[in-house]
Amino acid sequence: MLKELIVELIEREGPLRFDRFVELCLYHPEFGYYTRVRTLPVPGQDFFTAPELTPVFGKVLARHIGEVARREKLPLRILELGGGKGFLAKDLLEELRPEEYLLLEKGPVNLKGVKGLTSLEELEGGFEGFVVSNEFFDAFPFRRVLPRRGLEVFIDGKGGRLFETLLPFEGEAGSPCEGFEGEYPLFSSWRPFLEELAGKLSRCYFVTFDYGGRCTELSGRQTFKAFSGHALADDWLERPGEVDLTALVDFDYLSKILGELGFENLELCPQSEFLLSWGIERFASPEHTVQLLTLLVDMGRRFKVLTGKFEGRG
């Protein structure tokens, strides 16, 4: 059904810029992937996130948050961005017993002890505490830009069929990553979201986990990916709304935006390094061996952790 709607939209308005196509595929109210497919409260639909894989991830993060709270004298108030099915929230609630747990999520939130927010407009100003997220920033709609050619990917349609086409890049030439080779994933909606978030903060600690790397690490790589059934999907144009569309996160660009908005002491490290430094072995048990190896070896290499502080703008 979504495919037919997209075809009709293209017939009326012309080719869709890729970020608009992604927005429809992931967040269409009736037929979007995150509003219709990945909604069941069970782990591992099409892919596993770290909190879905094992509660050990949440236990390690809770230890980190507890130590930062003591060191920085921050209240144990948590704002989780894009909490999805609530696995991380459940683990942090059990480990930390926070004063307040807010979860920003477009869908319904049905977890005891958690207050759901559908938008940042619902967040009261002057928030003080912790802003945490896992696989949040990769879930924004993104553009697929070829900076050296001054082109970007659009989705066109003809005879009921969808296909990619290249059109002139809409905006200033180039990309946030100078000298980037290949297809750059431009998450142009990060900045307005983070601007709104920063406007609601007073004093906080920021930590986010996601797959990606520094812009030089992404250059020349396949940055766009489509997932279905725990595997890469080649037929994503045939099944819009049924497949997860995502791209690698350029942490240099994300850090640049955060820095310009007043976030300080921004540090990036591999997920494996973060988990080991915060004592993942304390929570290890024989039954979790496979999951821990995934967190440390597979995800540990592909995922990065970005941390920082926000002290307000005075």
Side-chain angles (χ1 to χ4, degrees):
M1 180 62 77
L2 182 57
K3 182 179 179 181
E4 286 73 19
L5 292 177
I6 291 174
V7 169
E8 292 175 4
L9 184 61
I10 291 172
E11 289 175 349
R12 291 197 310 269
E13 301 182 9
L16 295 180
R17 202 172 71 181
F18 198 75
D19 56 343
R20 190 176 180 198
F21 174 75
V22 174
E23 175 77 28
L24 290 169
C25 289
L26 298 185
Y27 301 110
H28 187 280
E30 293 182 69
F31 308 114
Y33 179 79
Y34 282 110
T35 56
R36 186 180 64 89
V37 178
R38 195 173 161 81
T39 56
L40 297 176
V42 295
Q45 281 181 280
D46 290 332
F47 58 88
F48 280 95
T49 65
E52 292 176 20
L53 192 66
T54 171
V56 170
F57 178 84
K59 291 177 184 292
V60 177
L61 179 56
R63 183 167 184 251
H64 175 68
I65 289 173
E67 176 58 33
V68 173
R70 287 187 288 272
R71 185 182 72 217
E72 302 292 334
K73 294 181 172 55
L74 280 171
L76 273 177
R77 301 177 66 219
I78 296 174
L79 168 63
E80 184 183 355
L81 307 177
K85 301 179 181 184
F87 284 89
L88 181 58
K90 180 176 180 294
D91 295 334
L92 294 181
L93 284 166
E94 290 179 357
E95 294 295 317
L96 292 170
R97 309 287 183 185
E99 303 168 28
E100 183 178 41
Y101 201 109
L102 305 173
L103 198 156
L104 180 69
E105 180 60 51
K106 291 185 177 182
V109 175
N110 300 307
L111 191 62
K112 186 177 179 181
V114 174
K115 179 182 177 181
L117 307 174
T118 59
S119 74
L120 286 175
E121 291 181 0
E122 299 175 28
L123 177 65
E124 293 184 10
F127 178 83
E128 187 174 6
F130 293 81
V131 178
V132 305
S133 63
N134 180 68
E135 296 194 46
F136 175 70
F137 288 97
D138 71 86
F140 278 67
F142 55 94
R143 300 162 68 176
R144 294 166 57 195
V145 180
L146 285 75
R148 287 187 173 271
R149 299 173 61 186
L151 302 172
E152 65 177 307
V153 176
F154 281 67
I155 299 300
D156 205 348
K158 186 176 182 180
R161 185 174 66 91
L162 297 175
F163 54 89
E164 298 179 20
T165 188
L166 295 176
L167 294 174
F169 176 64
E170 295 184 345
E172 296 182 7
S175 76
C177 182
E178 186 176 350
F180 193 89
E181 296 284 351
E183 191 177 278
Y184 182 81
L186 179 58
F187 290 89
S188 52
S189 52
W190 280 352
R191 183 178 293 275
F193 172 83
L194 288 170
E195 286 175 349
E196 185 177 5
L197 175 64
K200 297 281 189 171
L201 303 179
S202 170
R203 182 169 174 262
C204 79
Y205 182 81
F206 175 92
V207 55
T208 188
F209 299 76
D210 225 317
Y211 42 82
R214 297 192 179 279
C215 68
T216 53
E217 296 173 325
L218 305 187
S219 183
R221 293 174 57 185
Q222 175 65 44
T223 54
F224 163 59
K225 299 178 186 295
F227 286 100
S228 179
H230 299 274
L232 292 173
D234 295 326
D235 60 347
W236 53 274
L237 280 170
E238 296 300 316
R239 301 191 292 135
E242 300 177 27
V243 177
D244 182 34
L245 305 179
T246 186
L248 299 179
V249 168
D250 175 3
F251 279 97
D252 283 339
Y253 182 44
L254 182 57
S255 297
K256 179 177 183 292
I257 296 173
L258 289 167
E260 291 171 351
L261 293 174
F263 288 79
E264 301 175 335
N265 299 340
L266 292 163
E267 296 182 1
L268 183 70
C269 73
Q271 178 174 291
S272 55
E273 180 181 319
F274 177 90
L275 295 175
L276 288 168
S277 66
W278 285 98
I280 190 173
E281 71 280 357
R282 295 181 176 215
F283 310 103
S285 58
E287 63 268 25
H288 290 141
T289 299
V290 174
Q291 292 92 330
L292 294 184
L293 285 173
T294 300
L295 286 179
L296 292 172
V297 180
D298 180 22
M299 287 183 170
R301 288 194 303 260
R302 295 185 294 112
F303 280 64
K304 302 294 189 296
V305 188
L306 180 64
T307 59
K309 295 194 302 182
F310 186 86
E311 297 287 349
R313 306 186 199 185

